[in-house]
Amino acid sequence: MAAGDRVTTASAAITGTRIVEPVRDAASARAFTAAGAGPYATDPHWTPPLPGEERDTFDPRRNPTLSRAAARRWVLTERGTPVGRIAAFVPEYQPGEGYFGFFECPQSPSAAVALLRAAEEWLGAAGCRTAHGPIAVTARDRIGLLVEGFERPAVLFTPYNPPYYAALLEAAGYSPGVWLRAYGWESSYDDPRGVIPLAEGAVDKSSFRIRHLDLARLSDETRLIARLINETLAEAWHFDPIDEQEALQLAALLRPIVDPEIALVAEDAAGPCGVALAVPDVNWLWRRAGGRLWPLGWARLLRWRRRIPQARLMALGVEPRVRGTSVAARLIATLVRTGRRRYVRGELSQVFDDNVAMRRVLEHMQLPVVRRYAVFSRTLEH
């Protein structure tokens, strides 16, 4: 069967016939979006996607990453109703490796297998030997399956899913191989080991300084952020460097939400050498608006936009030339000190388990791990 052809399965687990079909037009794209909400009908911690977020992800005119990655989507329907979905991606920068993402499924192993096999056949036809996921387009985007930390809503641009998804993937032949974690912070944090004064004192004795992001030069600043992230994460698992167009897209994304107080750049005599990019958690705002812009959503967003009580650290990186110094610790210490002026809590995510240097800093500060994620993988049959 050719990749993308109709896959039909029947099972006693779901009455009737299930059909997995590729997204080909506007109607099936709407079905794909509708299927994304199905598993969360009674989940108080789920946050609906931001308006246009999924549409833009799969539009090459709005998502420059798709110039370097092929994408395909499928919808699982039962009696004409969308009940599940999946997407698959073939990144140019990782030959032989494929990704699946946007996986949503009822609590049925056979339904999960139907979706996963459709994606796997397409990936295999594209020359992929392995499938990894969930990953949304690239491994530096939304990555991993939430496996611990279901008792609170996800923060901006981090995964959230029902607890039973891990069992569905394992039953379909997948196993976890890459692990990530999120660290929590509260404004009552008392710095039990005195990391903040130690970090600030150590840096003050050298030539480093910390400044806030310059909103008047946001495009240039995001190019700088992209360069620092690229240099920091060059050795990270499946990292795809951020290119010029993606840096400009980042500027457009940040402009309406960035808070310069928690977006920091470290500089020394040779120039910028580190970045800590935190943003207000717009997910909190979106939930308060009920996940809708009409009829009262816009008014609620405008009323509450400056009252967001929590933030997410999206990126933290330092140039290789300053590794082993206290630059990373100083950036985090400054975030903690300035963040408590406006925010009640924060989350530092997603940190790869093998990022020993970053984990050492965060664990020395005794910040608790509040969530864990896993990337599941399976060797494809040819």
Side-chain angles (χ1 to χ4, degrees):
M1 181 174 61
D5 286 351
R6 175 177 293 194
V7 181
T8 304
T9 62
S11 170
I14 299 178
T15 304
T17 301
R18 296 192 307 272
I19 301 174
V20 177
E21 293 183 297
V23 171
R24 290 195 177 97
D25 51 28
S28 52
R30 289 192 294 270
F32 182 87
T33 299
Y40 306 100
T42 60
D43 190 334
H45 297 317
W46 179 64
T47 304
L50 297 173
E53 180 182 346
E54 290 187 353
R55 176 203 64 202
D56 292 354
T57 296
F58 293 99
D59 186 344
R61 297 168 299 178
R62 293 183 171 94
N63 185 1
T65 305
L66 292 181
S67 67
R68 305 191 312 278
R72 192 71 178 269
R73 292 175 284 173
W74 296 263
V75 180
L76 171 68
T77 60
E78 180 187 5
R79 295 177 179 174
T81 299
V83 296
R85 69 180 191 178
I86 198 168
F89 309 96
V90 179
E92 290 182 358
Y93 66 96
Q94 290 290 337
E97 308 290 338
Y99 303 146
F100 72 88
F102 293 88
F103 174 75
E104 306 291 358
C105 186
Q107 195 168 0
S108 164
S110 57
V113 167
L115 285 166
L116 289 162
R117 296 301 179 259
E120 291 166 3
E121 289 177 7
W122 183 77
L123 291 171
C128 298
R129 299 181 297 272
T130 309
H132 309 278
I135 293 172
V137 189
T138 77
R140 59 174 158 76
D141 296 317
R142 198 168 307 189
I143 176 174
L145 192 79
L146 181 66
V147 294
E148 293 180 23
F150 296 96
E151 65 278 1
R152 61 173 74 186
V155 297
L156 185 66
F157 302 136
T158 61
Y160 183 81
N161 50 264
Y164 64 82
Y165 276 15
L168 291 182
L169 293 179
E170 289 174 343
Y174 285 78
S175 58
V178 176
W179 297 87
L180 306 95
R181 56 184 65 192
Y183 291 84
W185 168 83
E186 303 284 340
S187 59
S188 59
Y189 172 74
D190 61 2
D191 192 15
R193 296 185 177 179
V195 172
I196 294 176
L198 283 175
E200 294 182 340
V203 175
D204 288 343
K205 293 176 183 178
S206 32
S207 59
F208 300 111
R209 75 180 185 98
I210 305 291
R211 67 171 177 84
H212 301 294
L213 207 67
D214 184 353
L215 294 185
R217 302 173 48 254
L218 189 55
S219 293
D220 290 336
E221 294 281 64
T222 53
R223 291 187 184 94
L224 169 62
I225 290 170
R227 178 178 66 78
L228 291 170
I229 291 174
N230 287 345
E231 293 178 0
T232 299
L233 299 180
E235 304 301 321
W237 184 81
H238 284 209
F239 180 71
D240 176 24
I242 304 170
D243 67 16
E244 171 78 9
Q245 291 303 311
E246 290 169 317
L248 294 176
Q249 183 190 44
L250 177 62
L253 173 69
L254 291 178
R255 193 171 297 280
I257 65 173
V258 69
D259 176 358
E261 288 293 308
I262 54 172
L264 308 173
V265 177
E267 296 179 331
D268 63 8
C273 58
V275 61
L277 176 61
V279 295
D281 178 24
V282 179
N283 275 10
W284 178 90
L285 188 64
W286 190 227
R287 286 192 301 275
R288 289 293 297 267
R292 295 183 301 172
L293 295 178
W294 186 262
L296 299 176
W298 276 120
R300 291 171 177 166
L301 290 175
L302 290 172
R303 185 188 316 151
W304 293 326
R305 70 188 186 281
R306 299 193 183 280
R307 296 167 54 190
I308 298 175
Q310 57 200 42
R312 180 204 169 191
L313 178 60
M314 294 180 61
L316 177 66
V318 297
E319 283 190 332
R321 66 184 176 82
V322 296
R323 288 176 186 167
T325 71
S326 55
V327 172
R330 172 66 187 274
L331 286 166
I332 295 174
T334 304
L335 280 177
V336 169
R337 179 167 48 79
T338 60
R340 59 165 49 110
R341 298 174 188 166
R342 278 197 52 194
Y343 300 95
V344 175
R345 68 189 68 87
E347 186 168 302
L348 297 81
S349 57
Q350 299 171 283
V351 180
F352 281 87
D353 269 20
D354 63 0
N355 190 345
V356 177
M358 183 57 57
R359 286 179 51 195
R360 185 181 296 118
V361 172
L362 300 174
E363 289 163 11
H364 187 69
M365 298 176 72
Q366 297 187 0
L367 296 178
V369 176
V370 295
R371 306 182 206 265
R372 295 184 189 273
Y373 310 87
V375 177
F376 288 71
S377 302
R378 181 175 186 267
T379 301
L380 301 181
E381 299 174 359
H382 291 280

